[in-house]
Amino acid sequence: MSATRLLVVDDEQDLLELLVRRLKRKGFDVDSAGTAEDALELVKKNEYDIGVYDIRLPGMDGIELLKETKKVQPDIEVLILTGHGTIDTAIEAMKVGAFDYITKPYNLSELELTIGKAAENKALKEKNDSMKKIIAQHNEFRIIGDSANFKEVLEMTRRIADSDVPVLIEGESGTGKELFAKALHYWSCRADEPFVPVNSGALPEHLLESELFGHSRGAFTGASQDKKGLVEAAKGGTLFLDELGEMPLALQVKLLRFLETGEFRRVGDVRERHVTVRVVAATNRDMEKEVAEGRFREDLYYRLNVVKLTIPPLRERKGDLPSLIDYFIVRTKDPSKQLSEGAFAALEQYDFPGNVRELSHLIERGVLLSKGSLIEADNLLLPKQVAVGAAPVGGTTRLCSLEEVEKVHIENALKQMNWNKTKAADVLGISVRNLYRKIDQYGLKE
């Protein structure tokens, strides 16, 4: 665990040096300044947990320094050192964000105790900020499947969960890659820390870097204050990089550096920051092909691909259909409904190009469209299967290529969603950006 980092500001040089030496002996990482102006330069370059500011400083006073510090580092806790004649001013400082004040001459042990309380308060606030997300994520986490090939992947997941090494999860869209990423997190010693997903395909390139690493105030138009990135939000926990193949090359360089050193910079900031997180990445692409064709960095691929989990598609684990269907029906608005024998037979014969995610949408649709207690095959509105082809050649049925299957499936999804590309992308389990690329690739038109 890294030492608590302090910034001590006092214009009395002898007192400042004494305090810095004492705090360093106690294990704190300490920087110091004799003026508010010098202190602000340090605040702009370095990240601090606690500030200890004398209220009387030449030029800008301690309260103004507190206000300016909070603009740059809102989460810092600041202690104000004050004389007996300025206690009212110190109380005013607490109203604008100071953690506490101590009157001079102060007892060094008392000061150390107050610094310790401030550090605990900062850690507690960070913990509370993440606990709501952790509880919500944990409640949503459940993996269903008893087929042999699926249980194999589950067992591997359990074995590597407590490791710190990066993991690459591969699988078709909708197979449940994020569930396995959550399993790696919640089955590990990091279970009480944040699980933070990042969708590499959901944001434009210029926003993705800010979302991942954060930005400083003024870094770009609209950046009115400092913002932590998702990397910092995942501190001590798991950072899940979904749709890894969508990540722009320029950002891949910065991600590689972070993976190797744990260090990064917010957009528009000069300060180096360091966090420790476990990185799990997921993709539905052939990453070796992406590397070979120059769309993904080879060094980053091998840095992430320390351990690989490959999630089987639903068509290869049809034995899990009954338990999956029951689970999805229970989650609908009418959990009392059941599938008819005909509907179940239709699902058994279906190839599920959209995998488990598609099954969940089919069940939800069936529940909504069915009039009685039974969901019939017609209520599912299963798309026509093109994998068996329609053109006999030499007495046999022509098999379609994967591209033909994908084209028809994407076109069906777009039609069912009335060409709402956001909804269609969600059903297909791909990013909107990726969907637009597929539309252009296959020449699809509304």
Side-chain angles (χ1 to χ4, degrees):
M1 186 175 177
S2 57
T4 301
R5 193 163 193 189
L6 306 183
L7 175 59
V8 182
V9 188
D10 199 319
D11 62 334
E12 296 181 44
Q13 192 62 32
D14 291 343
L15 182 58
L16 180 63
E17 291 175 1
L18 172 66
L19 186 53
V20 169
R21 284 198 303 270
R22 170 74 177 248
L23 292 171
K24 283 184 175 180
R25 284 201 305 271
K26 294 293 183 178
F28 295 107
D29 183 1
V30 189
D31 286 340
S32 62
T35 67
E37 289 74 17
D38 289 344
L40 269 181
E41 289 303 311
L42 290 171
V43 167
K44 291 173 182 177
K45 292 178 183 176
N46 306 302
E47 186 83 1
Y48 295 103
D49 298 302
I50 311 293
V52 181
Y53 297 168
D54 189 11
I55 201 164
R56 292 192 181 278
L57 295 169
M60 184 189 300
D61 66 17
I63 292 181
E64 284 304 311
L65 174 58
L66 164 65
K67 292 177 181 177
E68 293 301 313
T69 298
K70 286 285 188 178
K71 290 178 184 177
V72 181
Q73 298 188 33
D75 296 328
I76 191 173
E77 297 288 8
V78 176
L79 306 178
I80 293 293
L81 304 178
T82 178
H84 287 292
T86 54
I87 290 178
D88 289 343
T89 313
I91 292 172
E92 185 63 30
M94 292 186 67
K95 292 179 181 178
V96 295
F99 174 74
D100 204 349
Y101 70 91
I102 295 178
T103 56
K104 289 182 172 181
Y106 50 79
N107 181 293
L108 285 174
S109 297
E110 179 190 357
L111 177 60
E112 289 164 14
L113 182 63
T114 308
I115 289 172
K117 288 179 180 178
E120 286 176 7
N121 190 67
K122 184 174 186 292
L124 184 61
K125 283 198 292 189
E126 290 175 351
K127 192 78 172 178
N128 286 342
D129 288 342
S130 65
M131 279 309 293
K132 290 179 183 177
K133 293 180 182 177
I134 293 170
I135 292 168
Q137 291 159 355
H138 194 63
N139 288 341
E140 293 172 2
F141 170 63
R142 186 178 175 191
I143 295 181
I144 296 171
D146 294 311
S147 53
N149 55 352
F150 195 70
K151 288 175 77 173
E152 234 176 80
V153 184
L154 275 176
E155 180 55 33
M156 171 68 81
T157 303
R158 289 187 187 279
R159 287 205 302 268
I160 64 174
D162 244 347
S163 169
D164 292 326
V165 300
V167 177
L168 180 62
I169 304 175
E170 290 189 341
E172 297 176 8
S173 293
T175 49
K177 295 184 289 294
E178 183 167 348
L179 282 179
F180 277 84
K182 286 183 176 182
L184 287 167
H185 179 77
Y186 290 116
W187 294 347
S188 76
C189 57
R190 289 172 291 274
D192 291 334
E193 302 300 334
F195 173 87
V196 178
V198 182
N199 190 319
S200 304
L203 292 170
E205 180 176 345
H206 67 286
L207 292 179
L208 182 57
E209 182 179 358
S210 170
E211 189 73 9
L212 190 60
F213 295 119
H215 63 252
S216 61
R217 185 167 63 101
F220 49 82
T221 303
S224 57
Q225 61 182 14
D226 286 6
K227 178 188 174 185
K228 281 186 179 181
L230 297 176
V231 164
E232 288 178 85
K235 181 180 179 181
T238 300
L239 181 70
F240 174 51
L241 302 173
D242 199 6
E243 296 197 38
L244 178 68
E246 297 283 332
M247 183 170 287
L249 279 166
L251 192 53
Q252 291 176 29
V253 179
K254 297 179 180 180
L255 176 61
L256 177 62
R257 180 174 179 272
F258 171 68
L259 286 170
E260 291 177 339
T261 66
E263 296 177 347
F264 66 96
R265 291 178 182 174
R266 292 179 181 174
V267 176
D269 203 351
V270 296
R271 282 176 288 172
E272 291 284 353
R273 300 167 191 268
H274 184 280
V275 296
T276 301
V277 298
R278 204 269 182 90
V279 175
V280 177
T283 181
N284 57 13
R285 294 192 185 187
D286 181 342
M287 294 307 294
E288 291 185 4
K289 181 181 178 182
E290 296 294 308
V291 169
E293 296 180 358
R295 290 190 293 270
F296 200 85
R297 291 182 62 95
E298 184 177 26
D299 46 7
L300 177 57
Y301 171 66
Y302 287 113
R303 187 71 181 81
L304 287 166
N305 188 25
V306 177
V307 178
K308 184 188 290 185
L309 295 176
T310 303
I311 315 302
L314 184 54
R315 63 182 173 275
E316 295 177 7
R317 44 180 290 232
K318 291 285 188 71
D320 292 332
L321 273 177
S323 52
L324 285 167
I325 290 167
D326 288 345
Y327 174 72
F328 289 132
I329 288 177
V330 167
R331 288 167 61 91
T332 66
K333 293 181 178 179
D334 194 347
S336 63
K337 292 197 175 186
Q338 295 180 323
L339 278 183
S340 70
E341 289 184 10
F344 184 75
L347 289 176
E348 280 193 308
Q349 293 169 19
Y350 186 55
D351 277 343
F352 294 101
N355 290 292
V356 178
R357 183 187 289 115
E358 184 182 16
L359 174 62
S360 73
H361 290 306
L362 289 172
I363 296 301
E364 186 175 9
R365 183 189 304 154
V367 169
L368 288 172
L369 297 181
S370 58
K371 295 179 179 178
S373 60
L374 285 181
I375 303 168
E376 301 293 347
D378 290 346
N379 303 140
L380 299 173
L381 298 181
L382 284 169
K384 293 178 182 178
Q385 300 218 57
V386 297
V388 293
V393 179
T396 62
T397 300
R398 182 182 72 84
L399 294 175
C400 293
S401 69
L402 285 174
E403 279 200 345
E404 289 175 293
V405 174
E406 183 176 63
K407 177 182 176 181
V408 172
H409 185 58
I410 289 173
E411 190 169 25
N412 284 338
L414 286 164
K415 287 177 180 177
Q416 288 185 33
M417 297 300 149
N418 296 317
W419 278 80
N420 182 316
K421 297 177 184 66
T422 302
K423 290 182 179 178
D426 183 54
V427 168
L428 293 165
I430 60 177
S431 67
V432 175
R433 188 168 63 190
N434 196 3
L435 178 58
Y436 273 104
R437 186 162 56 242
K438 296 290 185 183
I439 290 171
D440 289 339
Q441 178 185 337
Y442 296 128
L444 301 177
K445 294 181 181 178
E446 188 170 356

